[in-house]
Structures are given as C-alpha cells and as structure tokens.
Short mmCIF file of all heavy atoms in Angstrom, two decimals:
data_model
loop_
_atom_site.label_atom_id
_atom_site.label_comp_id
_atom_site.label_asym_id
_atom_site.label_seq_id
_atom_site.Cartn_x
_atom_site.Cartn_y
_atom_site.Cartn_z
N TRP A 1 0.82 -1.21 0.00
CA TRP A 1 0.00 0.00 0.00
C TRP A 1 0.86 1.27 0.00
O TRP A 1 0.58 2.20 -0.78
CB TRP A 1 -0.98 -0.03 1.18
CG TRP A 1 -1.84 1.19 1.26
CD1 TRP A 1 -1.92 2.06 2.30
CD2 TRP A 1 -2.72 1.71 0.25
NE1 TRP A 1 -2.81 3.08 2.01
CE2 TRP A 1 -3.31 2.89 0.76
CE3 TRP A 1 -3.06 1.28 -1.03
CZ2 TRP A 1 -4.22 3.65 0.03
CZ3 TRP A 1 -3.98 2.04 -1.77
CH2 TRP A 1 -4.54 3.21 -1.23
N PRO A 2 1.93 1.34 0.82
CA PRO A 2 2.81 2.53 0.73
C PRO A 2 3.39 2.72 -0.67
O PRO A 2 3.55 3.86 -1.12
CB PRO A 2 3.92 2.22 1.75
CG PRO A 2 3.27 1.31 2.74
CD PRO A 2 2.31 0.47 1.95
N ALA A 3 3.71 1.61 -1.38
CA ALA A 3 4.26 1.70 -2.75
C ALA A 3 3.22 2.31 -3.69
O ALA A 3 3.53 3.20 -4.49
CB ALA A 3 4.69 0.32 -3.25
N LEU A 4 1.96 1.85 -3.56
CA LEU A 4 0.89 2.38 -4.41
C LEU A 4 0.61 3.84 -4.08
O LEU A 4 0.36 4.67 -4.96
CB LEU A 4 -0.40 1.55 -4.23
CG LEU A 4 -0.36 0.12 -4.80
CD1 LEU A 4 -1.55 -0.68 -4.32
CD2 LEU A 4 -0.32 0.14 -6.33
N ARG A 5 0.69 4.17 -2.78
CA ARG A 5 0.47 5.55 -2.34
C ARG A 5 1.55 6.47 -2.91
O ARG A 5 1.28 7.60 -3.31
CB ARG A 5 0.45 5.60 -0.81
CG ARG A 5 -0.74 6.37 -0.29
CD ARG A 5 -0.89 6.49 1.19
NE ARG A 5 0.29 6.34 1.99
CZ ARG A 5 0.39 5.46 2.98
NH1 ARG A 5 -0.62 4.66 3.27
NH2 ARG A 5 1.49 5.37 3.70
N MET A 6 2.79 5.94 -2.95
CA MET A 6 3.90 6.73 -3.50
C MET A 6 3.67 7.03 -4.99
O MET A 6 3.93 8.14 -5.46
CB MET A 6 5.23 5.96 -3.33
CG MET A 6 6.42 6.77 -3.83
SD MET A 6 7.96 5.84 -3.77
CE MET A 6 8.38 6.03 -2.06
N ILE A 7 3.15 6.03 -5.72
CA ILE A 7 2.86 6.22 -7.15
C ILE A 7 1.86 7.36 -7.32
O ILE A 7 2.05 8.27 -8.14
CB ILE A 7 2.30 4.92 -7.78
CG1 ILE A 7 3.41 3.85 -7.88
CG2 ILE A 7 1.69 5.18 -9.16
CD1 ILE A 7 2.92 2.45 -8.26
N LEU A 8 0.78 7.34 -6.53
CA LEU A 8 -0.27 8.37 -6.64
C LEU A 8 0.23 9.75 -6.21
O LEU A 8 -0.09 10.76 -6.83
CB LEU A 8 -1.49 7.97 -5.79
CG LEU A 8 -2.24 6.72 -6.28
CD1 LEU A 8 -3.25 6.26 -5.24
CD2 LEU A 8 -2.94 6.99 -7.61
N ARG A 9 1.06 9.76 -5.16
CA ARG A 9 1.58 11.04 -4.65
C ARG A 9 2.56 11.67 -5.65
O ARG A 9 2.47 12.84 -5.97
CB ARG A 9 2.26 10.82 -3.29
CG ARG A 9 2.66 12.11 -2.59
CD ARG A 9 3.26 11.86 -1.23
NE ARG A 9 4.54 11.18 -1.30
CZ ARG A 9 4.77 9.95 -0.84
NH1 ARG A 9 3.80 9.26 -0.28
NH2 ARG A 9 5.96 9.38 -0.95
N GLU A 10 3.49 10.84 -6.15
CA GLU A 10 4.55 11.34 -7.05
C GLU A 10 4.01 11.71 -8.43
O GLU A 10 4.64 12.47 -9.16
CB GLU A 10 5.66 10.29 -7.19
CG GLU A 10 6.49 10.10 -5.94
CD GLU A 10 7.29 11.33 -5.56
OE1 GLU A 10 7.94 11.92 -6.44
OE2 GLU A 10 7.24 11.73 -4.38
N ALA A 11 2.84 11.16 -8.81
CA ALA A 11 2.25 11.46 -10.12
C ALA A 11 1.93 12.93 -10.28
O ALA A 11 1.91 13.48 -11.38
CB ALA A 11 0.99 10.63 -10.33
N TRP A 12 1.68 13.59 -9.13
CA TRP A 12 1.30 15.01 -9.16
C TRP A 12 2.39 15.89 -8.55
O TRP A 12 2.12 17.00 -8.10
CB TRP A 12 -0.03 15.21 -8.42
CG TRP A 12 -1.09 14.35 -9.02
CD1 TRP A 12 -1.52 13.13 -8.60
CD2 TRP A 12 -1.82 14.63 -10.22
NE1 TRP A 12 -2.48 12.63 -9.45
CE2 TRP A 12 -2.69 13.54 -10.45
CE3 TRP A 12 -1.84 15.71 -11.12
CZ2 TRP A 12 -3.55 13.48 -11.54
CZ3 TRP A 12 -2.70 15.67 -12.20
CH2 TRP A 12 -3.55 14.57 -12.40
N ASN A 13 3.59 15.37 -8.55
CA ASN A 13 4.71 16.12 -7.97
C ASN A 13 5.24 17.12 -9.01
O ASN A 13 6.05 16.78 -9.85
CB ASN A 13 5.82 15.14 -7.54
CG ASN A 13 6.95 15.85 -6.84
OD1 ASN A 13 6.99 17.07 -6.75
ND2 ASN A 13 7.89 15.07 -6.33
N PHE A 14 4.75 18.35 -8.94
CA PHE A 14 5.12 19.36 -9.93
C PHE A 14 6.57 19.83 -9.75
O PHE A 14 7.14 20.46 -10.61
CB PHE A 14 4.17 20.57 -9.85
CG PHE A 14 2.83 20.28 -10.41
CD1 PHE A 14 1.85 19.67 -9.63
CD2 PHE A 14 2.53 20.58 -11.73
CE1 PHE A 14 0.59 19.39 -10.15
CE2 PHE A 14 1.28 20.30 -12.26
CZ PHE A 14 0.31 19.71 -11.47
N GLU A 15 7.15 19.51 -8.60
CA GLU A 15 8.54 19.91 -8.35
C GLU A 15 9.49 18.73 -8.53
O GLU A 15 10.59 18.71 -8.01
CB GLU A 15 8.68 20.46 -6.92
CG GLU A 15 7.95 21.79 -6.75
CD GLU A 15 7.79 22.15 -5.27
OE1 GLU A 15 8.52 21.59 -4.45
OE2 GLU A 15 6.93 23.00 -4.98
N THR A 16 9.03 17.77 -9.29
CA THR A 16 9.82 16.55 -9.48
C THR A 16 11.16 16.86 -10.15
O THR A 16 11.26 17.79 -10.95
CB THR A 16 9.03 15.52 -10.32
OG1 THR A 16 9.83 14.37 -10.49
CG2 THR A 16 8.66 16.05 -11.68
N ALA A 17 12.15 16.06 -9.82
CA ALA A 17 13.50 16.27 -10.39
C ALA A 17 13.63 15.65 -11.77
O ALA A 17 14.70 15.65 -12.37
CB ALA A 17 14.54 15.66 -9.45
N VAL A 18 12.55 15.11 -12.28
CA VAL A 18 12.60 14.41 -13.55
C VAL A 18 12.94 15.36 -14.70
O VAL A 18 12.62 16.54 -14.67
CB VAL A 18 11.23 13.72 -13.81
CG1 VAL A 18 10.24 14.65 -14.42
CG2 VAL A 18 11.39 12.52 -14.67
N THR A 19 13.59 14.82 -15.74
CA THR A 19 13.95 15.62 -16.91
C THR A 19 12.69 16.18 -17.55
O THR A 19 11.78 15.43 -17.86
CB THR A 19 14.68 14.74 -17.95
OG1 THR A 19 15.49 13.81 -17.26
CG2 THR A 19 15.51 15.56 -18.89
N GLY A 20 12.65 17.49 -17.74
CA GLY A 20 11.48 18.08 -18.39
C GLY A 20 10.34 18.38 -17.44
O GLY A 20 9.24 18.69 -17.88
N GLY A 21 10.56 18.23 -16.13
CA GLY A 21 9.52 18.55 -15.15
C GLY A 21 8.28 17.70 -15.30
O GLY A 21 8.33 16.56 -15.72
N PHE A 22 7.12 18.30 -14.96
CA PHE A 22 5.85 17.57 -14.96
C PHE A 22 5.51 17.05 -16.36
O PHE A 22 5.06 15.92 -16.52
CB PHE A 22 4.74 18.48 -14.43
CG PHE A 22 3.41 17.79 -14.34
CD1 PHE A 22 3.21 16.77 -13.42
CD2 PHE A 22 2.36 18.13 -15.18
CE1 PHE A 22 1.98 16.12 -13.32
CE2 PHE A 22 1.13 17.49 -15.10
CZ PHE A 22 0.94 16.48 -14.17
N TRP A 23 5.71 17.88 -17.37
CA TRP A 23 5.43 17.48 -18.76
C TRP A 23 6.29 16.27 -19.14
O TRP A 23 5.82 15.33 -19.78
CB TRP A 23 5.70 18.66 -19.69
CG TRP A 23 5.71 18.31 -21.15
CD1 TRP A 23 6.77 18.37 -21.99
CD2 TRP A 23 4.61 17.86 -21.94
NE1 TRP A 23 6.40 17.97 -23.26
CE2 TRP A 23 5.07 17.65 -23.24
CE3 TRP A 23 3.26 17.58 -21.65
CZ2 TRP A 23 4.25 17.20 -24.28
CZ3 TRP A 23 2.45 17.13 -22.68
CH2 TRP A 23 2.94 16.94 -23.97
N GLY A 24 7.55 16.30 -18.70
CA GLY A 24 8.46 15.17 -18.97
C GLY A 24 7.94 13.89 -18.33
O GLY A 24 7.99 12.81 -18.93
N LEU A 25 7.41 14.02 -17.11
CA LEU A 25 6.86 12.87 -16.38
C LEU A 25 5.71 12.23 -17.16
O LEU A 25 5.65 11.01 -17.33
CB LEU A 25 6.35 13.36 -15.01
CG LEU A 25 5.80 12.32 -14.04
CD1 LEU A 25 6.94 11.53 -13.42
CD2 LEU A 25 5.00 12.99 -12.94
N VAL A 26 4.79 13.07 -17.65
CA VAL A 26 3.63 12.58 -18.40
C VAL A 26 4.07 11.91 -19.70
O VAL A 26 3.61 10.82 -20.05
CB VAL A 26 2.62 13.73 -18.68
CG1 VAL A 26 1.46 13.25 -19.54
CG2 VAL A 26 2.11 14.32 -17.37
N ILE A 27 4.99 12.56 -20.43
CA ILE A 27 5.45 12.02 -21.72
C ILE A 27 6.14 10.67 -21.55
O ILE A 27 5.91 9.74 -22.32
CB ILE A 27 6.41 13.03 -22.42
CG1 ILE A 27 5.60 14.14 -23.09
CG2 ILE A 27 7.31 12.36 -23.44
CD1 ILE A 27 4.79 13.71 -24.31
N ILE A 28 6.96 10.54 -20.49
CA ILE A 28 7.63 9.25 -20.22
C ILE A 28 6.57 8.18 -19.98
O ILE A 28 6.66 7.07 -20.50
CB ILE A 28 8.60 9.36 -19.02
CG1 ILE A 28 9.79 10.25 -19.37
CG2 ILE A 28 9.11 7.96 -18.61
CD1 ILE A 28 10.61 10.71 -18.17
N GLY A 29 5.54 8.53 -19.18
CA GLY A 29 4.45 7.59 -18.90
C GLY A 29 3.74 7.13 -20.17
O GLY A 29 3.48 5.95 -20.37
N ILE A 30 3.46 8.09 -21.07
CA ILE A 30 2.77 7.77 -22.33
C ILE A 30 3.65 6.88 -23.20
O ILE A 30 3.19 5.87 -23.75
CB ILE A 30 2.39 9.07 -23.08
CG1 ILE A 30 1.36 9.87 -22.28
CG2 ILE A 30 1.83 8.75 -24.47
CD1 ILE A 30 1.17 11.29 -22.76
N ARG A 31 4.92 7.25 -23.32
CA ARG A 31 5.84 6.46 -24.17
C ARG A 31 5.96 5.02 -23.69
O ARG A 31 5.88 4.08 -24.45
CB ARG A 31 7.24 7.09 -24.15
CG ARG A 31 7.37 8.32 -25.00
CD ARG A 31 8.84 8.61 -25.26
NE ARG A 31 9.00 9.89 -25.92
CZ ARG A 31 8.73 10.14 -27.19
NH1 ARG A 31 8.24 9.18 -27.95
NH2 ARG A 31 8.91 11.34 -27.71
N ARG A 32 6.17 4.86 -22.36
CA ARG A 32 6.37 3.51 -21.84
C ARG A 32 5.07 2.70 -21.87
O ARG A 32 5.09 1.50 -22.07
CB ARG A 32 6.93 3.56 -20.42
CG ARG A 32 8.31 4.19 -20.30
CD ARG A 32 9.47 3.30 -20.78
NE ARG A 32 9.59 3.12 -22.20
CZ ARG A 32 10.19 3.96 -23.03
NH1 ARG A 32 10.72 5.08 -22.58
NH2 ARG A 32 10.27 3.69 -24.31
#
C-alpha cells in the first residue's frame, strides 16, 4: 500500500526532479 500511495503522490509532484519537469513525467508515462 505505501508503494501504491507513492505512485499516486509522485504522479502530481510538480517539483519533481525528472527531466522536463511535470510534462516530462507525463510524456515518459505515455511512451512507456
């Protein structure tokens, strides 16, 4: 449950360190 909660929490992390920020996060999700 903590793992699933992390997925839901991090999905809306606008300050994520991911390449390309939030938009990059969504695009990676769509590609994969």
Side-chain angles (χ1 to χ4, degrees):
W1 179 239
L4 290 169
R5 229 179 23 235
M6 183 185 279
I7 290 170
L8 294 169
R9 188 177 67 246
E10 290 295 313
W12 303 97
N13 185 355
F14 287 84
E15 291 166 19
T16 180
V18 84
T19 324
F22 182 67
W23 169 246
L25 184 75
V26 176
I27 281 290
I28 292 165
I30 294 166
R31 283 198 188 285
R32 297 284 73 83

